[in-house]
Amino acid sequence: THLPAVLLDAEVLRGRLRCCYPFDAGSTKLHCGTFGGGAGCTPGCGDRDYAQREARRRGFEGDARAYKPDELAKCLDGMEAERCVEGRWCALSHNELVLDIADSGDDGLQRFVRAVVVDSRASGMAVRLARAVWAAAEQSNRTVPLLHYDPRSVAAPFSEVDNEE
């Protein structure tokens, strides 16, 4: 249940963020009639009714909506991860950043990734997934660290993983 995380490069994201949800809102279901959207439709960014329906279904109690790019900090502050039960997947322990990648070039998402993080409590499958995401990010000809996160370590919760392990 402890899936890998990616730290995103804020400079690369600038101008690409379309909206944010403070929970897993299932935004991949939201499509527009034309590729990339248009007037009144941004792919992945639903209206308040959609967000509230998904929020109720997933147990989210906060301000359920697709936050605008300039409200990113407010969106992330609105997460309710503390309400999740340890060891079980929970939509409240995730957020969704909807990015416009329609013209991101040949390297696609790789250049958005600043680091890949794997939790110390992650299953073997999650660790393999983290390594696969890390390997894809490395193909952008940049050094992208693979980090180990241990929430029990107050002094140094993050450490770099030896890429040969």
Side-chain angles (χ1 to χ4, degrees):
T1 61
H2 297 284
L3 294 174
V6 291
L7 300 178
L8 302 175
D9 188 318
E11 286 303 311
V12 176
L13 290 176
R14 198 172 314 283
R16 299 293 184 128
L17 180 63
R18 296 300 175 244
C19 67
C20 171
Y21 295 96
F23 62 99
D24 181 346
S27 64
T28 57
K29 297 181 283 192
L30 297 169
H31 304 279
C32 297
T34 59
F35 181 72
C41 185
T42 302
C45 301
D47 61 16
R48 187 174 282 276
D49 288 341
Y50 170 81
Q52 289 179 348
R53 245 187 344 269
E54 290 300 311
R56 278 192 302 276
R57 197 168 76 74
R58 299 170 191 272
F60 182 77
E61 297 175 351
D63 186 8
R65 61 189 172 95
Y67 286 75
K68 295 177 180 169
D70 62 351
E71 300 176 299
L72 179 59
K74 187 174 183 178
C75 173
L76 298 177
D77 285 344
M79 291 180 64
E80 299 177 354
E82 68 280 357
R83 294 186 44 231
C84 294
V85 175
E86 180 69 28
R88 295 181 60 198
W89 186 87
C90 178
L92 307 181
S93 67
H94 299 79
N95 59 57
E96 285 193 31
L97 302 181
V98 178
L99 306 174
D100 179 359
I101 61 165
D103 61 349
S104 60
D106 290 341
D107 57 354
L109 291 176
Q110 292 111 339
R111 64 192 181 97
F112 288 85
V113 178
R114 188 90 184 259
V116 178
V117 182
V118 64
D119 193 294
S120 62
R121 301 162 292 177
S123 68
M125 184 180 294
V127 171
R128 287 189 299 280
L129 177 59
R131 286 193 173 281
V133 170
W134 170 80
E138 282 273 297
Q139 291 183 14
S140 65
N141 294 322
R142 295 183 306 122
T143 301
V144 177
L146 178 59
L147 302 176
H148 177 261
Y149 170 65
D150 184 352
R152 296 171 296 250
S153 176
V154 177
F158 292 95
S159 60
E160 194 160 355
V161 174
D162 178 4
N163 297 337
E164 301 303 316
E165 287 180 13

